[in-house]
Amino acid sequence: METTRREILKGAGLLLILGARANPGGAPQTAAAAGSYDPHQHLWAMTIDIDKCIGCGHCVRACAQENDVPEEYFRTWIERYEIDGSNLEHPTVTSPDGGKHGFPPSSETRTKQFFVPKLCNHCLESPCVQVCPVGATFHSPDGVVLVDESYCLGCRYCVQACPYGCRYIHPEKLTVDKCTFCYHRITKGLTTACCEACPTQARVLADLKNPADPVHAFLRENKVQVLKPHMATRSKVFYRALDGAVR
Amino acid sequence: MKGRWQNSIHLIRPAAVFLAGLVLFLVVRVFVVPPTFGQFGHYRGAVLDEIRALPVKYAGQQACAACHEEETHLKSKGKHASVACETCHGPAAQHAEDPGSVRPGKPEETALCAGCHEMDAAKPKWFPQVNTKEHMAGMRCLECHPAHDPAP
Amino acid sequence: MGPVPGVEGFMYPNEVELQWSLLIVLYPYITGLVAGAFILASLERVFRVKAVKPTYRLALLTALAFLLVAPLPLQLHLGHPERSFAMFLTPHRSSAMAMFGFVYLWYLLVVLLAEIWLDYRADIVRMATVETGWRRWLYRVLTLGSMNVSEQARAVDERVGYWITIIGIPSAFLLHGYVGFIFGSVKANAWWSTPLMPIVFLFSAMVSGIAAVMLLYMAAMRLQGRKLDMLCLDTIARYLFYVFLIDFSLEMLDLVHRIYEADESFRSLDFMVHSRLWTSQVVVQILLGTCVPLLLLASVLLFRFSETARKHIYVVAGILTLVGIFAMRWNVVIGGQLFSKSYLGYTSYKLDFATREGLLPAIVLMLLPFAILWVLVKLLPPWKPEEEGRDGVCAVAS
């Protein structure tokens, strides 16, 4: 914990010298070429800026295409929140087909409305990994929660244990399936499909172990929050401008 | 004392059966557990490379820019600078690998533009959005707003 | 929003589908019967409650019959049953579920089979000499090659059996308390996540196991045309009442605690209990399955009834108890998946009939233990054939 914090601070300092980047698609510059990737040199995370999300659904579609996500299941999805004044307890939430094809436009201006993209939080203290009876789901050395589909029993305990609803049983493979942070991409120097397709950079992949990653400035300069912090899962998907009504 | 031993010796038999089962299990276990299990943690280490080997569908901005210099340059100055090529043109890894094999299609413009820019109270205020029905007045988007550099 | 059938309000999109079906309802139900039956058996053995002696062996065989079936609903429900052996090969130490295989095997081999073998050894040896044909061979195998049933040897068996029962009681507690922990430790699920879950499971297990053995004893005596031992039956019913009272108190404590604390999940769960779970939870589990049998059992303690009336009361109370405990398992397992973890919506459970996790396999799995028990009773008769009732059993044991 202490080293992580120090690394983040060190990274932030470096960043001031290097200056910020404007990188289309949000591709991280540092992931090594495919052959020489060392998982111990990275710690993957994501930042999501609610004020930048337009609910277009590009991320959901890109994810589905990149990862062959079956119809009606979602590795990432978008929710639209509508909150009436102080009534934080009773938001109206919709997510038609996971927001895959966007949302029907709303002209209601008396309520507060915004979009919340969701995906696996790749928690450091993942309840899903904790409960897997056989070691079919695990934390990779670079901080990604992955599934070994050739080892998964399909017992579904992890689906029950995830507080965020990020897991599902693949209808054909009958094993659990979930967001991999596009592990096959990020380990080759590409960004995730959802971040690649996001037109506003509302979601940006981050490498917490890379001192030059803009994530350090993002975390320092913004008020950030994770989903359901009371679950104490040490989520690594950091939201900027997340409303208290979001659950 | 001897009598007691003789009258207890039958208990060794079920114990031996259990023990034999246990030994059999331990032997089988040595052969059946995947060889890379435990390499990095409580999982099959080889799975990391298996997942990494999955095919990439979205080539990434850099792959597009490597060939399509003109469009990249045009786009980089305009309002769509932060939009990756494949956001609108779709996944193009196969095209990047062998440009002749597949050509990414031209997206259906009205639906694509409206997908982001249709007026919606839930969208952030800073984001350019219009009521397409009123705004377009029978025209096509691209007549006024070239996709790669759509300003104004 | 395109309305999803069966969904009300907002569910996270992957939540619409229920993960744990009727088969997972059977799993705690069946293991509960095992644990309960065994604890009833141990009453006689360890706590010297002599009155329940006639049911001792029946309770053991009942426990075995149900224990043999217990893993089947789990296997049937797995996406890849062929891989389930991995639970033994690479058990994940932090997983509550990973220990199931080990707890199960410990209980099956070290406790139940060992205790039954020790108790039946004299009978097995005798039958290995008097029986003919394949039965003779079967019993000879079951002797494990030792024909020594001298008085001293039986005394050793008795002592070892006693200690195995003593180990067996915490093991039975472990077996079922642990099943409760599988649910109670899921912090993501407000309906399940409570430290009371293992202990509620345990007491409801005892309740269902005692009720089942009571009914089985009555049925077996009737089928064999023997006379019921009313002292035995009254004693079992009394224990059923006491344990049921504790179980009910614990469940009410959980309920009162939830209502009084009224945390973020309360509004959602409260609505669920008042809508989708109303019949199965309030009507079947609490009123019909708990209050009515408790009142019936209490009335026997308070008033004088004839033997026939008591028998009828026990039958009704026993059946209602078993239905009530089944409803309790249903409400835990299915109820825990009907509400969204966002607390903003509800889904519904559609029970199929002839599918892998449907009603038909569930019915078969519920009948299977009775078939196994029938075979076990044939092979290892709990009562001596030539003598009547409990005198006979006492004669065997002494």
Side-chain angles (χ1 to χ4, degrees), chain C residues 139-210:
Chain C
Y139 290 119
R140 286 189 75 156
V141 170
L142 288 179
T143 61
L144 298 179
S146 168
M147 305 297 268
N148 181 6
V149 284
S150 64
E151 212 160 291
Q152 295 94 321
R154 292 299 290 150
V156 171
D157 289 347
E158 174 66 25
R159 246 193 326 279
V160 175
Y162 174 78
W163 283 105
I164 286 180
T165 315
I166 290 197
I167 298 168
I169 294 171
S171 300
F173 275 52
L174 183 69
L175 179 71
H176 204 66
Y178 158 84
V179 175
F181 186 77
I182 287 182
F183 292 95
S185 62
V186 178
K187 70 175 166 188
N189 190 313
W191 188 240
W192 292 344
S193 176
T194 157
L196 276 180
M197 194 62 94
I199 195 141
V200 166
F201 262 54
L202 189 59
F203 276 92
S204 56
M206 285 195 248
V207 169
S208 64
I210 294 173

Side-chain angles (χ1 to χ4, degrees), chain A residues 20-242:
Chain A
R21 63 166 185 166
N23 187 4
Q29 320 87 321
T30 49
S36 60
Y37 180 79
D38 178 4
H40 297 282
Q41 301 304 313
H42 305 271
L43 186 64
W44 298 107
M46 193 175 281
T47 59
I48 294 181
D49 190 341
I50 298 292
D51 282 345
K52 285 187 178 173
C53 181
I54 58 171
C56 61
H58 275 297
C59 52
V60 186
R61 294 195 293 278
C63 174
Q65 295 226 37
E66 179 74 32
N67 299 297
D68 296 317
V69 179
E71 283 288 321
E72 292 176 38
Y73 298 91
F74 301 90
R75 290 186 177 196
T76 184
W77 69 95
I78 312 171
E79 296 165 6
R80 170 159 59 194
Y81 270 73
E82 184 171 1
I83 302 156
D84 191 1
S86 65
N87 198 358
L88 296 185
E89 297 290 314
H90 305 86
T92 304
V93 186
T94 53
S95 184
D97 201 13
K100 198 176 188 175
H101 308 289
F103 292 77
S106 158
S107 53
E108 178 60 72
T109 51
R110 287 165 300 178
T111 54
K112 173 166 64 183
Q113 294 186 52
F114 52 88
F115 297 106
V116 185
K118 292 202 176 164
L119 72 163
C120 170
N121 292 285
H122 295 280
C123 312
L124 288 168
E125 309 275 356
S126 312
C128 56
V129 172
Q130 182 186 27
V131 302
C132 176
V134 296
T137 190
F138 56 92
H139 299 110
S140 70
D142 34 2
V144 182
V145 176
L146 294 172
V147 174
D148 182 348
E149 62 174 49
S150 72
Y151 211 65
C152 172
L153 312 179
C155 76
R156 311 172 178 217
Y157 201 15
C158 57
V159 186
Q160 306 286 10
C162 174
Y164 313 100
C166 296
R167 291 173 165 254
Y168 56 87
I169 295 292
H170 193 289
E172 278 132 40
K173 296 173 182 168
L174 299 180
T175 53
V176 77
D177 202 35
K178 68 179 283 294
C179 163
T180 62
F181 261 176
C182 284
Y183 198 69
H184 61 300
R185 300 175 57 86
I186 62 177
T187 53
K188 292 178 191 130
L190 296 165
T191 188
T192 66
C194 58
C195 291
E196 178 74 27
C198 178
T200 61
Q201 259 98 74
R203 47 205 294 166
V204 179
L205 179 73
D207 180 359
L208 296 175
K209 275 194 185 168
N210 174 11
D213 196 300
V215 67
H216 305 294
F218 181 91
L219 293 175
R220 189 179 62 247
E221 289 161 8
N222 293 293
K223 313 284 186 289
V224 293
Q225 179 60 290
V226 294
L227 294 174
K228 300 191 180 181
H230 58 282
M231 284 289 159
T233 59
R234 294 181 66 201
S235 159
K236 284 200 274 72
V237 173
F238 302 99
Y239 286 84
R240 189 191 157 274
L242 189 72

Side-chain angles (χ1 to χ4, degrees), chain B residues 12-31:
Chain B
I12 290 178
R13 291 167 190 275
V17 173
F18 290 160
L19 208 64
L22 189 66
V23 169
L24 181 70
F25 166 72
L26 291 174
V27 170
V28 167
R29 189 177 181 277
V30 169
F31 291 102

Side-chain angles (χ1 to χ4, degrees), chain C residues 272-284:
Chain C
M272 183 173 78
V273 171
H274 282 90
S275 53
R276 298 181 182 218
L277 284 188
W278 180 259
T279 314
S280 61
Q281 173 110 1
V282 179
V283 179
V284 179

Side-chain angles (χ1 to χ4, degrees), chain C residues 267-300:
Chain C
R267 208 174 42 83
S268 182
L269 300 182
D270 185 53
F271 179 79
M272 183 173 78
V273 171
H274 282 90
S275 53
R276 298 181 182 218
L277 284 188
W278 180 259
T279 314
S280 61
Q281 173 110 1
V282 179
V283 179
V284 179
Q285 183 191 330
I286 296 178
L287 292 177
L288 285 177
T290 306
C291 294
V292 175
L294 270 178
L295 288 173
L296 287 174
L297 293 170
S299 71
V300 177

